[in-house]
Amino acid sequence: MKTESNTEQITALYCRLSQEDMRAGESLSIENQRLMLKEYADKNGFRNCRYYVDDGYSGVDNTRPEYVHMLRDVENGLVGAVIVKDQSRLGRDHLETDRLMELVFPAYDVRFIAVTDGVDSANGINEMSGIKNLLNDMYARDCSNKIR
């Protein structure tokens, strides 16, 4: 539970779109992710929202500029919640995404929400999250193989 001194913490609204995802159409666009996340934050009382946007970066790339910036802000205690459209937006490297969701975010008391996946760490661990992260990883590898 957050203390009164943490009320000014950032609500990180993280958006990502890779070149491969652009083929999936408008529903996955950065603009639509922004709108969805802002609407969710407003509806659920999240304040001090800040967008972290990596446009054109693969989810398997853990050096994405805004991803790294967001994680630095988490480690510095500036972030109280991370909200993404779905888990694949956070990342497609299942080991890294699992590490964030199960170790890093809880260690820094950061609430994690994946809107369309129905994941909210305030409700406890979702047993399907790890499987979904693995499937997201497998999807990225399959796309990479097809492109090569």
Side-chain angles (χ1 to χ4, degrees):
M1 177 134 267
K2 302 285 178 213
T3 63
E4 198 62 36
S5 64
N6 290 334
T7 57
E8 292 303 307
Q9 284 186 304
I10 295 167
T11 297
L13 305 178
Y14 182 71
C15 306
R16 181 189 62 77
L17 187 71
S18 72
Q19 297 297 334
E20 291 81 14
D21 292 330
M22 288 181 191
R23 295 185 190 131
E26 180 65 19
S27 66
L28 296 180
S29 74
I30 293 293
E31 181 180 349
N32 284 342
Q33 286 180 56
R34 282 179 183 265
L35 290 171
M36 173 191 279
L37 298 180
K38 182 66 171 138
E39 181 179 305
Y40 182 91
D42 289 347
K43 183 178 177 181
N44 291 282
F46 289 94
R47 302 287 177 251
N48 197 22
C49 295
R50 182 193 189 290
Y51 289 101
Y52 296 81
V53 179
D54 284 314
D55 196 356
Y57 288 88
S58 169
V60 298
D61 176 1
N62 294 327
T63 64
R64 293 168 265 152
E66 286 298 293
Y67 173 83
V68 169
H69 183 188
M70 179 182 70
L71 293 182
R72 191 175 330 112
D73 286 349
V74 165
E75 292 167 355
N76 288 327
L78 302 175
V79 176
V82 172
I83 306 175
V84 295
K85 174 184 175 274
D86 61 55
Q87 290 173 211
S88 72
R89 299 304 89 200
L90 183 62
R92 289 194 184 272
D93 172 343
H94 79 279
L95 295 175
E96 174 67 5
T97 306
D98 285 344
R99 184 183 76 81
L100 291 175
M101 292 173 63
E102 295 179 25
L103 300 173
V104 175
F105 293 156
Y108 290 96
D109 198 24
V110 172
R111 183 174 175 185
F112 175 72
I113 299 168
V115 176
T116 61
D117 288 336
V119 171
D120 184 341
S121 63
N123 299 328
I125 293 177
N126 181 328
E127 282 84 27
M128 293 302 292
S129 290
I131 294 169
K132 185 160 271 208
N133 288 337
L134 179 60
L135 292 173
N136 289 333
D137 189 324
M138 292 169 66
Y139 173 80
R141 283 190 224 158
D142 184 53
C143 286
S144 179
N145 287 336
K146 288 177 182 175
I147 290 169
R148 275 189 251 143

